[in-house]
Amino acid sequence: MSQGYTTRTQMVVDNLRARILSGELPAGAPLRQDALARELMVSRIPVREALMQLEAQGLVKFAAHRGAVVTALDAAAIDELFYLRALLEADTLFHAVDLMTEATFAEAESILAEFDQALESGTQVERWAELNHRFHATLYRAAGRPQALELIAQINLGCDRYVRFELLFASDGVDKAEREHAQLLTLCRERRKHEAVVLLQRHIADAAASVKRILQAGA
């Protein structure tokens, strides 16, 4: 596979993913390969490849007689996705805490400072979600468990839409996330790994419950 082909496919993935997560392409919207290829000035091959990647991330499904469409937010999937997040992330954090360095803490603090700036400037939720992922990944990286990190990243792709949804619609979603991130970093710095794991598990469980409440309320 040529580098150009890979780059074109990733460009289509990034374009469609951003539009789905922002709501520009709503649930049920058709994703016609010919039209997308013309719009993005690529052939159908990278478009189809991109749609298959987005299907693996839970953002797109191939429906009979309709082709690819944007998936709906699925309340039934939340419990499993966030359970897997809590399971893997808590275990990885537990093994990471004792291996964290001052560089780990400095990087995490820098991300929290960016979070503050994003809140003050009213930056769009896409920025908040990106910083959320970066903060958690910074802490987990210290564990030195690349396969666990890869699985966490994959699960987070499936959760990403729900995380952004919660940050956007929960009345205190962003403020709560920011407070808990600061608490989590303090516990890690003090090597209180058991308490850090409990906080992280609650943090993830609360996010799942919040998304389900919002969906049930018809946001």
Side-chain angles (χ1 to χ4, degrees):
M1 182 184 294
S2 73
Q3 183 61 38
Y5 177 84
T6 304
T7 302
R8 286 194 295 274
T9 299
Q10 191 58 49
M11 181 272 289
V12 179
V13 169
D14 292 344
N15 180 283
L16 295 179
R17 190 166 182 272
R19 290 160 70 182
I20 292 169
L21 292 174
S22 70
E24 179 187 338
L25 291 171
L31 299 167
R32 306 191 192 288
Q33 294 182 40
D34 288 338
L36 289 170
R38 287 194 300 271
E39 178 189 347
L40 299 174
M41 295 183 290
V42 296
S43 71
R44 288 187 61 187
I45 295 173
V47 171
R48 178 163 183 79
E49 197 65 28
L51 291 174
M52 292 173 66
Q53 289 188 35
L54 292 169
E55 181 186 31
Q57 296 174 18
L59 296 177
V60 167
K61 66 179 179 180
F62 287 88
H65 311 301
R66 293 188 63 195
V69 298
V70 177
T71 57
L73 291 165
D74 182 4
I78 293 171
D79 288 334
E80 182 179 9
L81 282 169
F82 282 79
Y83 169 79
L84 289 171
R85 269 196 65 195
L87 194 69
L88 275 171
E89 293 184 35
D91 183 71
T92 304
L93 180 68
F94 183 84
H95 288 91
V97 171
D98 290 336
L99 299 173
M100 291 177 185
T101 64
E102 284 305 315
T104 303
F105 302 133
E107 184 177 353
E109 285 174 349
S110 174
I111 294 168
L112 291 185
E114 289 185 66
F115 217 108
D116 281 337
Q117 292 171 2
L119 287 174
E120 290 171 6
S121 65
T123 307
Q124 292 182 349
V125 71
E126 285 79 2
R127 180 64 173 149
W128 305 342
E130 175 204 342
L131 292 170
N132 179 65
H133 292 318
R134 280 177 52 200
F135 174 79
H136 284 277
T138 296
L139 298 182
Y140 305 153
R141 200 179 304 124
R145 295 186 162 203
Q147 292 183 68
L149 293 178
E150 186 176 336
L151 286 170
I152 288 169
Q154 186 62 38
I155 292 168
N156 271 291
L157 283 175
C159 289
D160 196 27
R161 197 173 178 193
Y162 298 98
V163 170
R164 292 168 188 261
F165 185 76
E166 195 230 353
L167 291 173
L168 186 61
F169 290 108
S171 58
D172 65 340
V174 175
D175 289 338
K176 183 174 183 294
E178 187 180 26
R179 286 195 308 272
E180 291 180 353
H181 286 162
Q183 292 167 7
L184 187 61
L185 180 56
T186 296
L187 291 173
C188 290
R189 187 185 285 278
E190 295 174 358
R191 313 295 180 183
R192 294 156 62 187
K193 59 185 179 183
H194 293 281
E195 293 168 77
V197 164
V198 170
L199 174 59
L200 177 62
Q201 289 172 325
R202 190 179 74 236
H203 176 74
I204 294 171
D206 286 352
S210 177
V211 173
K212 288 170 72 174
R213 281 195 302 271
I214 296 165
L215 284 176
Q216 288 165 1

